Amino acid sequence: MKNNHFGKGFRAQLPLQMMVIPGIIFMIVFCYIPIYGIVIAFKSYSVTDTIASAPWVGLENFKIAFEDKFFWESVVNTLAISFLKLLIGFTAPIILSILIFELKNGWFKKVVQTISYLPHFLSWIVVGGMLLSWLSTSGILNDILVGVGILDQPRNFMIEAKSYWFIAVLSDVWKEVGWGTIIYLATMSGIDPTYYEAAKIDGASKLQQIFHITLPLMKFIISLMFILAVGGILGSNLDQTLVLINPLNSSHAEVINSYVYKVGLAQGDFSYATAVGLAVSIVSLILVVITNHFTKKMNDNKSVF
């Protein structure tokens, strides 16, 4: 009976199902078929070989990676930048979305939303150029800091390795914080307004309404976004890194993605780069599973996935 019901439902929705087919083909061609290429992580592959003909070397590429000090330097940078982005970049959209949601003036709310969304549509090439200008010795930041007496003389922040982590984190937050509010605003728009009306009658302040109504009802979507954020903790923004990195700040700017890009494409060591990428993917999967386990407990044993 169930199979018959499924068949009837599928036929009834056939035009809609047909619309999904291009997406499925895209996923198979560009996401599933390339998985076969993972085997070169266990081979000594070069452009003169095929994947099948390249000689097997077992775990040698992984061993080389774990003994490479530049690899571990990129791991430290990736973790530091990603944890700072998780700490600031994850909470900032939640706070901003609540502030926007609480605005009562309709046109002003739209203006704030539009302004906060705009940086997302700027490429990192454009943002990088802006940062190079703002943070140079003749940039606006130095003009302000020297003008108020915080600095005695201008500094070029982009060539200071110790400043890079904060530049990367704050620029990423500025670019994406507005875009990150969309899903939270959509969730809050679905909250029954009678909850707030009842809270007002009971004498609850605005902060009490936020902590006892808004945030608890957003708990599920916050958990989902947190799991996705943790899953990408080893995948620091490659576009941002390639734009902002230079020889003077590379000790703090080189992340795993840029390291894999440099070794795999620039130096042509595809097997080594694939081994690093595979190891990162496995660790990311483990982090997602662990995070989902803890958020499941926080959500009364209701799994997000």
Side-chain angles (χ1 to χ4, degrees), residues 244-273:
L244 301 181
I245 194 171
N246 61 62
L248 296 176
N249 67 15
S250 60
S251 61
H252 282 63
E254 191 81 83
V255 294
I256 295 175
N257 281 347
S258 62
Y259 177 74
V260 170
Y261 169 83
K262 182 174 68 176
V263 173
L265 293 181
Q267 299 179 11
D269 196 343
F270 302 107
S271 293
Y272 179 78

Side-chain angles (χ1 to χ4, degrees), residues 22-37:
I24 295 175
I25 295 174
F26 180 89
M27 290 284 291
I28 292 173
V29 173
F30 293 102
C31 296
Y32 288 96
I33 293 178
I35 290 177
Y36 171 67

Side-chain angles (χ1 to χ4, degrees), residues 105-277:
N105 191 311
W107 71 266
F108 183 65
K109 178 186 288 190
K110 292 179 181 178
V111 170
V112 172
Q113 286 182 272
T114 302
I115 293 174
S116 65
Y117 294 164
L118 284 177
H120 170 79
F121 297 99
L122 299 176
S123 72
W124 273 110
I125 299 297
V126 175
V127 175
M130 294 165 62
L131 290 174
L132 290 173
S133 175
W134 292 346
L135 302 179
S136 67
T137 53
S138 58
I140 187 173
L141 181 61
N142 274 292
D143 290 343
I144 294 173
L145 296 179
V146 173
V148 299
I150 296 177
L151 293 180
D152 295 327
Q153 57 184 8
R155 292 163 49 187
N156 191 339
F157 294 98
M158 287 304 301
I159 64 173
E160 295 180 1
K162 62 182 181 180
S163 302
Y164 179 82
W165 289 354
F166 299 100
I167 293 172
V169 172
L170 295 178
S171 61
D172 186 78
V173 171
W174 170 78
K175 187 174 184 296
E176 300 297 338
V177 64
W179 190 254
T181 63
I182 293 177
I183 191 167
Y184 297 119
L185 287 170
T187 303
M188 285 186 282
S189 66
I191 297 176
D192 191 341
T194 57
Y195 291 150
Y196 297 103
E197 294 171 5
K200 288 179 182 178
I201 294 173
D202 291 337
S205 66
K206 186 59 67 177
L207 280 177
Q208 288 174 324
Q209 293 175 39
I210 291 172
F211 282 105
H212 295 285
I213 299 175
T214 307
L215 289 176
L217 292 176
M218 291 173 62
K219 182 171 64 173
F220 190 83
I221 194 65
I222 290 174
S223 299
L224 173 60
M225 299 305 293
F226 182 70
I227 291 173
L228 295 176
V230 171
I233 205 168
L234 294 178
S236 190
N237 195 323
L238 176 61
D239 294 343
Q240 180 190 37
T241 303
L242 294 179
V243 170
L244 301 181
I245 194 171
N246 61 62
L248 296 176
N249 67 15
S250 60
S251 61
H252 282 63
E254 191 81 83
V255 294
I256 295 175
N257 281 347
S258 62
Y259 177 74
V260 170
Y261 169 83
K262 182 174 68 176
V263 173
L265 293 181
Q267 299 179 11
D269 196 343
F270 302 107
S271 293
Y272 179 78
T274 304
V276 173

